[in-house]
Amino acid sequence: MPHAPDEGSRAKGASPLSAETFENQVLTLMPSLRRYSRSLAKSDSDGEDLLQDCVEKVLVRRSQWRGINLRAWAFTIMTNLYRDRHRRSSQHPSVEFDETLGLTAEDVSGDPLEKTRLQQALNALTPEYRSVLMLVVVEGYAYQDVAEMLSIPIGTVMSRLSRARRQMAAHLARDNIVTLRRPK
Amino acid sequence: MTDEHTPVTESDLHAFVDGRLDDERRRQVELFLKDHPEEAAEVQLWQAQARDLKAAFSGYARFGENDHTLLRPTTQSGPPASFWRKTGLLAASLILFLSGAAAGVYADRFYAGKPPVATASALESLPGQSKTAFLVYASEKRHPVEVGADDQAHLITWLGKRLNYKLVAPDLRSEGFSLVGGRLLPVNGKAGAMLMYQDAGGERLTVLLGRNPHSTETSFRFETSGSIETFYWIDGEIGYAVTGEVTRAKLQAIAEECYRQFES
């Protein structure tokens, strides 16, 4: 079964009463849900939008939750929402280059060009590759957990991870296409 | 079961990067990488990628001010909260679409990827960095520069100090462009400088200066990307790149003017 970090924090919750409500269990997951939604999104506002859609769906579907590993269950819902939104938006492309494009949280001293490059390399990935990369690298899930969350064979997890990493590397190398040498 | 004779697979390399191997297998992969520089280089790239991704998103793992309102128990009456939010977003995106046409023009170039024609180290991508700086900042409405032309003396002293170079801001008024200001930017991983100019019609161009790792000289070169032209050269320890969405002849005249004034 997928590792369930949220279960532990619930058991140690502040008051037994608050720990009982489904809403409060979801509330404790908000930071990791926010990070995952942002890692899939094109911008901060896009990430918040995905997060809100996900929370709404989690609440509506609460009766379908089997009572174990709420975090992984919510991540599965988020991944599906993201994939569906991506399909819709690729049919109806909108203006993407607004001032919220790029990564803005923390580390404002970081290199803005590098952040933009990273965001663009991520945006070039298909949703299938990107979600696997983020679940493994940023969210720290084991390959088998990812396979279960996305209902795909572990071999597919590995091949998506591999392609995501290689495409990212190729995209990030793409700017370096001209050598500055004195011509002969 | 694995031993030193079990071949190292690509899955092992990923598991190595992700810290998913037991100690024994990890040591075997380390030994393998010592003898396989190509695989070792790729693994290093993936490790750097993982560090960058974690760093980029870790800051988002926090509570939002309105998280508790998102989690209010759902009621049966009235449209869901998302209805109003989405109605507002639709209006906002329409405004963005109408007002963001100029930004959209730049955005198209961003996504129009070019196939790699040659491999080069990151240290040699001055025109690429110049083009990206132009795309990012020339379309910026509110903060195109850090220090404006009204504080030109400070701008030049500050950037010159960071670049360790006796900087001048070329006077391009003869070409119809006046200084907007400048900002500090990483170029080749070190402090570099970007100067921005604008003509009477609001057309912008950028001049990027970065330290060159080796003292070299190049002839002047052009790189074209869509309708964006970049003109660049290296002279000793400094690399220069001028980028704008103007004709090549016009940009060449501007670049020659820059060159003349940087040299004097």
Side-chain angles (χ1 to χ4, degrees):
Chain A
M1 286 320 290
H3 173 60
D6 48 304
E7 301 300 294
S9 62
R10 180 166 62 111
K12 284 179 274 168
S15 91
L17 191 70
S18 68
E20 272 169 16
T21 71
F22 184 79
E23 283 82 2
N24 272 319
Q25 290 182 57
V26 178
L27 187 61
T28 62
L29 295 180
M30 287 305 281
S32 65
L33 287 173
R34 177 169 278 109
R35 178 177 59 199
Y36 184 49
S37 71
R38 181 59 188 87
S39 74
L40 298 176
K42 289 195 167 80
S43 64
D44 284 2
S45 60
D46 189 27
E48 280 296 307
D49 202 35
L50 177 61
L51 175 66
Q52 291 181 22
D53 279 357
C54 176
V55 169
E56 210 169 283
K57 192 153 249 180
V58 163
L59 293 179
V60 167
R61 289 199 186 164
R62 66 171 73 189
S63 62
Q64 295 170 26
W65 179 46
R66 287 181 300 165
I68 42 162
N69 206 343
L70 185 58
R71 182 177 184 248
W73 184 67
F75 271 37
T76 302
I77 289 176
M78 178 95 79
T79 310
N80 291 336
L81 274 172
Y82 158 63
R83 194 195 52 217
D84 296 345
R85 288 162 64 111
H86 191 274
R87 274 196 199 129
R88 277 203 309 276
S89 71
S90 50
Q91 284 161 6
H92 307 284
S94 58
V95 176
E96 284 170 357
F97 190 68
D98 62 77
E99 59 191 333
T100 58
L101 182 73
L103 298 155
T104 55
E106 302 229 317
D107 190 28
V108 283
S109 61
D111 177 341
L113 291 176
E114 285 306 310
K115 285 181 181 172
T116 308
R117 265 159 53 84
L118 187 68
Q119 183 70 55
Q120 285 164 355
L122 286 171
N123 291 350
L125 295 178
T126 66
E128 285 75 19
Y129 295 174
R130 185 169 180 175
S131 46
V132 166
L133 183 67
M134 294 309 172
L135 288 171
V136 168
V137 171
V138 179
E139 302 304 329
Y141 278 103
Y143 306 139
Q144 185 58 43
D145 294 344
V146 176
E148 286 172 21
M149 287 160 76
L150 305 184
S151 305
I152 52 176
I154 193 162
T156 308
V157 172
M158 298 315 293
S159 66
R160 287 182 184 177
L161 180 63
S162 167
R163 292 199 177 124
R165 284 184 157 145
R166 293 216 160 97
Q167 284 184 16
M168 284 284 289
H171 196 104
L172 290 170
R174 196 180 273 176
D175 275 359
N176 309 324
I177 53 169
V178 171
T179 53
L180 276 180
R181 269 183 307 224
R182 186 192 282 278
K184 285 163 198 151
Chain B
M1 282 285 100
T2 57
D3 59 44
E4 66 266 39
H5 303 300
T6 310
V8 170
T9 64
E10 193 192 315
S11 289
D12 286 325
L13 298 182
H14 288 291
F16 179 77
V17 170
D18 297 319
R20 296 280 168 193
L21 295 177
D22 60 39
D23 288 351
E24 194 190 340
R25 189 63 178 157
R26 199 184 66 241
R27 274 192 293 276
Q28 289 163 6
V29 170
E30 279 167 357
L31 285 175
F32 169 85
L33 290 175
K34 271 185 189 154
D35 293 337
H36 295 80
E38 254 180 58
E39 283 83 354
E42 189 158 45
V43 160
Q44 272 189 359
L45 212 58
W46 294 344
Q47 287 170 326
Q49 219 179 67
R51 271 196 305 274
D52 289 348
L53 288 174
K54 281 179 199 160
F57 296 112
S58 63
Y60 290 92
R62 54 178 157 69
F63 288 103
E65 279 175 32
N66 299 317
D67 282 357
H68 57 284
T69 58
L70 281 179
L71 288 158
R72 266 197 307 249
T74 40
T75 55
Q76 297 303 313
S77 62
S82 65
F83 172 82
W84 299 109
R85 182 164 54 79
K86 280 174 182 157
T87 310
L89 274 178
L90 188 67
S93 60
L94 190 65
I95 292 166
L96 181 71
F97 178 76
L98 294 172
S99 68
V105 167
Y106 291 119
D108 283 344
R109 317 258 160 62
F110 244 140
Y111 293 97
K114 259 166 66 171
V117 293
T119 51
S121 83
L123 298 175
E124 295 172 317
S125 64
L126 185 65
Q129 294 175 74
S130 180
K131 188 189 78 181
T132 309
F134 173 81
L135 286 167
V136 169
Y137 294 113
S139 60
E140 174 69 41
K141 288 187 182 67
R142 283 193 293 180
H143 307 292
V145 295
E146 281 175 290
V147 178
D150 50 351
D151 205 359
Q152 186 170 343
H154 165 65
L155 172 71
I156 297 310
T157 313
W158 169 56
L159 290 179
K161 196 171 279 177
R162 293 307 303 271
L163 199 60
N164 193 19
Y165 168 70
K166 195 174 178 310
L167 182 67
V168 294
D171 183 344
L172 300 177
R173 281 175 295 184
S174 61
E175 298 295 333
F177 282 85
S178 51
L179 186 69
V180 176
R183 64 166 65 235
L184 187 66
L185 269 190
V187 178
N188 297 342
K190 289 192 176 133
M194 186 197 80
L195 301 172
M196 186 182 291
Y197 293 82
Q198 185 169 308
D199 72 4
E203 189 68 52
R204 286 169 170 173
L205 58 86
T206 54
V207 180
L208 193 74
L209 292 88
R211 289 209 76 81
N212 183 36
H214 315 289
S215 186
T216 47
E217 279 185 13
T218 66
S219 57
F220 300 171
R221 288 190 163 195
F222 271 111
E223 189 181 300
T224 305
S225 173
S227 56
I228 295 179
E229 300 280 2
T230 298
F231 191 92
Y232 58 97
W233 68 97
I234 289 178
D235 193 355
E237 292 183 342
I238 302 288
Y240 306 82
V242 184
T243 298
E245 198 171 12
V246 294
T247 64
R248 181 175 289 193
K250 177 71 178 168
L251 195 71
Q252 179 161 0
I254 290 164
E256 280 169 357
E257 191 58 36
C258 289
Y259 175 72
R260 202 178 58 74
Q261 294 188 36
F262 281 133
E263 295 312 292
S264 57

